[in-house]
Amino acid sequence: MAKKQPNVIVFGIDSLRRDHMSSYGYGKLTTPYLDAFALGGTLFEAHFSPSIPTTPAYASMLTGMDAFGTDVVALRHKGPLGGHVRTLAEMLGDAGYNTTCLGFTGNPSSRGFQTYLNYESWLPDDTGRTPKAQLLNDVAIPELERLAADEKPFFLFMRHMDPHSPYLPPKPYDRMFYGANEKDPSNRSMEPVYAFKPFADFLKSWIPEGVTDHEYVSAQYDGAVAYMDACIQSIFAKIEALGIEEETLVVITSDHGETLYEHDCFFDHHGLYDCTLVVPLIIKFPGRVPAGKRVADVSLIQDITPTIVQLLGLEPPYAFDGRSLVPAMYGEKTEKVSEFYITECTWMRKHGWRTPEWKLIRALEPDFHGKPEIELYNLIRDPEENDNVADREPDVVAYLEQRMLAHIAKRESETGRTNPIYTNLDWSGTGKTFRTSQEAYESLYIGSISNARSLQAKEKEAQAK
C-alpha cells in the first residue's frame, strides 16, 4: 500500500507583527506556545510581505508568485484571481488532498478549496469582547478531526484574526500588558487618533469610551496576540492527540504586519513602513525540517508555496517567482535576496524599493495623511523610519528609483502585463483618482466594524471563479 502523503496545516495570522512576538525578541511574553513550537522547527528571522494588504499578500503566499505574477496589488481587487496562476489549494487538490479553508471565504486568493468554513472574527459578543481564536477553534478542531479520519491527506488553511482590529481580547488578556489608567485626563495621546476623520468612527466603535492613552490600545493588540497564542496551543494539542504530528507539515505566518501608533497610521495596516512589511515565518515538519534552526537571510512571502511543494515532493505547476527555502533551512549556499520591490494599495497607492540600508517610498497619487510624494529612510541609522531624508539625499533617491524602474520593466517584459500598481486606478472603490490629500481624506471612510468587515469580503459567488 502506498504511503500516505503528508498533511499540511497553514496558520495565516492576519496583521501579526513579528516584532511583537517573544520568539522574535519582543520584550513582552506574548507568544510562549508559538515560541515552544518554533523550537521544533525552523524560524525565519527576516521574512517580508512586499505587497500589502491582505488580498495581494495571500495571492503571493498561496501561488508562489510576486505581484507581477499574480497581477494583484489591491485590497479591493476586481474580479477573480487570474487563470494564469494556480493556488496551493488547487495544486494539492490535484494531488489527491482534501482541502479546507477556514475564515477566508470569498477572497479571490482563497480559490480552489473544496470546503469553506467561517467563524465570527469581527463583531464583539455581549461582553463587549471578541474571542476570535476560540471561535475559530470551535470550528477548526471538529474539522481537523474529520480530515484526520479520512484516508486522504489534507490541507487545512486557517485565517486567524485576533491581531486584526478591533483588538478585543477577553479577560484577563485585556489587562495582561497594561496596568496604568487608560482614561487619565492628562494623557492626550489619543487626540490625533480621534481627530482622524477617515478612521475615527471605526476606532471609537470598539475602543472603550474615554480612553486617552494610546499605550492601552497597543496593549490590547499584544493581549490579542497572547490570547490567540494560548488558543492555538489547543490546536497543537489536538494534532498530537490525533497522532498525526509526525506526518504533518505546519506553517505559521502572516499576510502583513500592523501599524499601531507609528507614522500617524493608527491601528491599521497601511503605509509601506517595516511595521507592516515584517511578518513571521515558522515551519515545522518533524524529520524533514531542522528543529531549533533560525535563518537570518531575507525571505519573501512568495517563497512559502515553493517551500511546501518541495517538502511534499510534488512537481511545481509552473516556474514560481518565489524560491524554496529548504536549502536555507539546511545551511546550503543560496543566492541572497538583498533588495526587493514593495507595493501598497489599501488606503494609499504607493510603491517603492527596499535594500538593507535604504527604503524608498513613492506615492502614485496623494494620500489621506498628507505625506510627501517621496520618502527615503536610512534603515541602519533610522530603523523606525521617522526621518525622511529624501530632500537631503537626492542621489540615493535617483539611484533607488532607477533600480525600482529597471525591476518593473524586467517583470513587465517577463509577464507580458503592465505593472498592476499602475492599472488599479479604482483601488479605493470611489471611482476616482485623488488629486489632493484633502480629497482622499474626505473620500475614504470606514465608519464601523460592520463596514470594515465588508471591505475585506466579497460575495461568495466571486470567490471560486
Side-chain angles (χ1 to χ4, degrees):
M1 183 176 177
K3 186 178 179 181
K4 181 180 176 181
Q5 276 282 93
N7 307 307
V8 180
I9 298 176
V10 175
F11 292 81
I13 303 173
D14 206 296
S15 311
L16 179 58
R17 288 173 61 147
R18 73 168 179 242
D19 63 344
H20 276 245
M21 298 174 65
S22 42
S23 46
Y24 282 88
Y26 191 39
K28 300 174 183 178
L29 189 60
T30 52
T31 54
Y33 294 107
L34 289 176
D35 299 352
F37 172 86
L39 294 177
T42 296
L43 179 148
F44 292 82
E45 296 179 335
H47 189 63
F48 290 87
S49 181
S51 292
I52 62 170
T54 296
T55 304
Y58 279 122
S60 288
M61 180 195 299
L62 296 173
T63 65
M65 309 301 280
D66 66 7
F68 297 88
T70 63
D71 208 31
V72 177
V73 290
L75 173 65
R76 305 160 192 81
H77 179 76
K78 294 186 181 298
L81 196 65
H84 61 288
V85 292
R86 302 279 288 165
T87 67
L88 183 59
E90 291 169 331
M91 298 175 208
L92 295 185
D94 289 346
Y97 278 67
N98 289 323
T99 60
T100 295
C101 177
L102 205 171
F104 199 37
T105 301
N107 192 286
S109 307
S110 67
R111 188 183 71 195
F113 287 91
Q114 298 153 6
T115 301
Y116 292 89
L117 302 171
N118 282 311
Y119 68 101
E120 181 51 65
S121 58
W122 285 87
L123 300 177
D125 60 18
D126 52 13
T127 71
R129 293 278 147 179
T130 308
K132 302 175 187 179
Q134 184 55 52
L135 294 174
L136 181 146
N137 281 0
D138 291 344
V139 179
I141 290 177
E143 178 64 5
L144 184 57
E145 291 172 335
R146 182 189 74 83
L147 291 168
D150 197 288
E151 62 183 21
K152 288 184 177 182
F154 66 82
F155 170 34
L156 175 61
F157 176 86
M158 293 174 287
R159 184 192 184 197
H160 280 79
M161 288 286 284
D162 297 80
H164 191 294
S165 61
Y167 322 135
L168 293 170
K171 296 180 182 298
Y173 296 91
D174 59 331
R175 308 298 298 191
M176 183 169 285
F177 301 106
Y178 188 83
N181 175 15
E182 67 270 28
K183 298 183 180 182
D184 180 353
S186 67
N187 190 324
R188 305 179 67 178
S189 62
M190 285 296 287
E191 287 184 2
V193 178
Y194 298 140
F196 186 64
K197 179 181 173 182
F199 284 9
D201 288 345
F202 167 65
L203 295 171
K204 289 177 182 178
S205 74
W206 59 268
I207 296 173
E209 186 177 358
V211 168
T212 61
D213 185 4
H214 77 89
E215 294 286 0
Y216 170 82
V217 186
S218 296
Q220 299 308 295
Y221 177 88
D222 287 341
V225 172
Y227 167 72
M228 176 193 67
D229 176 78
C231 291
I232 284 177
Q233 174 57 26
S234 297
I235 297 178
F236 292 158
K238 176 57 67 173
I239 291 170
E240 184 178 359
L242 290 170
I244 59 173
E245 189 175 14
E246 298 297 313
E247 60 196 62
T248 301
L249 164 61
V250 180
V251 177
I252 307 286
T253 192
S254 180
D255 53 345
H256 49 71
E258 185 82 337
T259 315
L260 295 172
Y261 195 70
E262 307 99 325
H263 310 292
D264 302 321
C265 291
F266 305 136
F267 313 116
D268 192 56
H269 33 270
H270 63 276
L272 280 171
Y273 308 105
D274 272 8
C275 54
T276 57
L277 302 183
V278 299
V279 291
L281 177 61
I282 307 169
I283 302 176
K284 182 178 178 182
F285 194 5
R288 306 199 202 184
V289 167
K293 177 84 172 182
R294 298 178 75 98
V295 176
D297 293 343
V298 168
S299 56
L300 303 175
I301 200 168
Q302 59 259 33
D303 298 335
I304 291 176
T305 283
T307 302
I308 292 172
V309 167
Q310 181 174 354
L311 286 169
L312 298 180
L314 301 177
E315 283 295 320
Y318 43 65
F320 294 119
D321 296 328
R323 56 187 185 155
S324 171
L325 300 174
V326 173
M329 294 177 187
Y330 284 94
E332 298 176 16
K333 284 191 175 181
T334 58
E335 184 178 351
K336 296 185 186 301
V337 174
S338 59
E339 52 187 336
F340 51 90
Y341 182 59
I342 55 179
T343 69
E344 177 198 354
C345 219
T346 315
W347 304 104
M348 305 188 280
R349 188 166 66 98
K350 299 188 176 187
H351 65 164
W353 194 251
R354 190 192 191 282
T355 77
E357 184 176 6
W358 297 101
K359 165 87 67 68
L360 172 71
I361 302 172
R362 178 177 278 278
L364 292 166
E365 59 192 89
D367 73 67
F368 65 175
H369 286 296
K371 295 184 184 298
E373 180 183 354
I374 300 174
E375 296 174 73
L376 178 70
Y377 299 99
N378 186 304
L379 301 175
I380 306 300
R381 294 195 300 266
D382 177 30
E384 294 183 353
E385 301 168 275
N386 290 320
D387 183 18
N388 180 12
V389 298
D391 291 342
R392 285 169 270 162
E393 299 281 1
D395 291 345
V396 177
V397 170
Y399 173 73
L400 294 175
E401 185 156 37
Q402 180 273 325
R403 297 286 295 170
M404 178 179 74
L405 293 176
H407 176 77
I408 290 170
K410 176 176 178 288
R411 293 298 289 131
E412 287 182 332
S413 175
E414 290 170 345
T415 61
R417 294 186 299 276
T418 302
N419 183 355
I421 201 73
Y422 295 150
T423 60
N424 278 259
L425 299 182
D426 191 29
W427 57 273
S428 65
T430 62
K432 66 176 79 171
T433 298
F434 299 123
R435 294 178 175 83
T436 66
S437 290
Q438 187 62 32
E439 183 182 16
Y441 183 88
E442 296 295 339
S443 301
L444 297 173
Y445 176 74
I446 303 181
S448 68
I449 294 174
S450 296
N451 287 344
R453 178 168 61 174
S454 70
L455 289 172
Q456 300 260 344
K458 288 180 176 283
E459 294 300 319
K460 293 182 180 179
E461 289 82 5
Q463 110 199 347
K465 298 177 183 178

